[in-house]
């Protein structure tokens, strides 16, 4: 699928799960999108690769330099550390919510649905996540489902790194569809 001309933000900080940033980034670029790694500070962020620190990834823009209006979608990698740090950052939460409120695509994998909980996006949605946060998702008012990928009006969630190909394909499909103008508020 071709999504040339589309621009996608991947919001992450130190401790992102390596594959959960790199696989979607690479698939989206292969499909023709421009992908920016957006983070809290300039320079590089370091991933977590299963059981130890992984490779650094260059930050393209800080949250202060990025505007939700520039992007067609946002991808939120998981890992335990990354979303836990980001959910404490008001600018990160505002960036996610601004993209959502513009009825653009929001995609979260593994533990990143914590960010959808924190922004209020989870409430009333069908979602999945890594199983250890299933209760968190359900307690936030979402309908947690045991599926590799769940889509609810342009909000895409996925369980774990084993589902990244399906997750990436669904992001491409949804970005190609465009805005979800009928999306109901969370």
């Amino acid at each position: 699928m071709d999504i040339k001309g589309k621009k996608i933000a991947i919001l992450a900080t130190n401790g992102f799960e390596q594959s959960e940033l790199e696989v979607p980034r690479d698939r989206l670029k292969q499909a023709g999108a421009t992908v920016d790694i957006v983070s809290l500070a300039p320079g590089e962020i370091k991933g977590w690769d299963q059981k130890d620190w992984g490779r650094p990834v260059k930050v393209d823009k800080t949250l202060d330099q990025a505007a939700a209006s520039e992007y067609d979608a946002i991808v939120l990698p998981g890992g335990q550390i990354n979303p836990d740090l980001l959910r404490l950052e008001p600018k990160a939460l505002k960036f996610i919510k601004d993209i959502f409120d513009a009825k653009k695509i929001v995609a979260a994998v593994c533990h990143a649905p914590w960010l959808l909980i924190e922004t209020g996006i989870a409430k009333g949605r069908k979602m999945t996540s890594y199983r250890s946060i299933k209760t968190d998702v359900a307690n936030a008012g979402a309908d947690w489902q045991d599926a590799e990928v769940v889509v609810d009006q342009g909000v895409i969630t996925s369980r774990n790194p084993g589902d990244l190909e399906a997750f990436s394909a669904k992001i491409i499909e949804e970005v190609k569809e465009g805005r979800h103008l009928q999306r109901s508020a969370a």
Side-chain angles (χ1 to χ4, degrees), residues 38-157:
V38 178
S39 193
L40 305 172
E44 293 180 334
I45 52 176
K46 197 161 194 176
W48 187 261
D49 197 358
Q50 297 179 29
K51 297 182 181 185
D52 202 353
W53 288 103
R55 298 170 297 285
V57 171
K58 182 186 172 294
V59 171
D60 297 305
K61 290 187 175 187
T62 64
L63 278 167
D64 290 333
Q65 298 166 325
S69 60
E70 296 178 61
Y71 297 99
D72 298 290
I74 187 168
V75 177
L76 305 168
Q80 293 174 323
I81 301 167
N82 176 61
D84 200 38
L85 292 174
L86 288 174
R87 67 183 174 163
L88 298 174
E89 294 292 335
K91 287 180 184 177
L93 299 175
K94 182 179 182 332
F95 186 61
I96 296 164
K97 190 77 165 82
D98 287 350
I99 289 174
F100 174 81
D101 288 345
K103 303 194 183 301
K104 298 176 183 179
I105 308 306
V106 176
V109 61
C110 188
H111 287 76
W114 271 337
L115 295 163
L116 304 184
I117 292 168
E118 203 65 39
T119 56
I121 293 169
K123 187 174 183 172
R125 302 222 171 277
K126 293 178 186 166
M127 291 177 53
T128 193
S129 66
Y130 192 71
R131 68 183 180 275
S132 69
I133 67 165
K134 172 185 175 181
T135 302
D136 298 347
V137 172
N139 285 343
D143 175 10
W144 189 89
Q145 301 184 354
D146 188 13
E148 89 179 340
V149 178
V150 174
V151 181
D152 187 337
Q153 298 180 355
V155 176
I156 306 163
T157 52

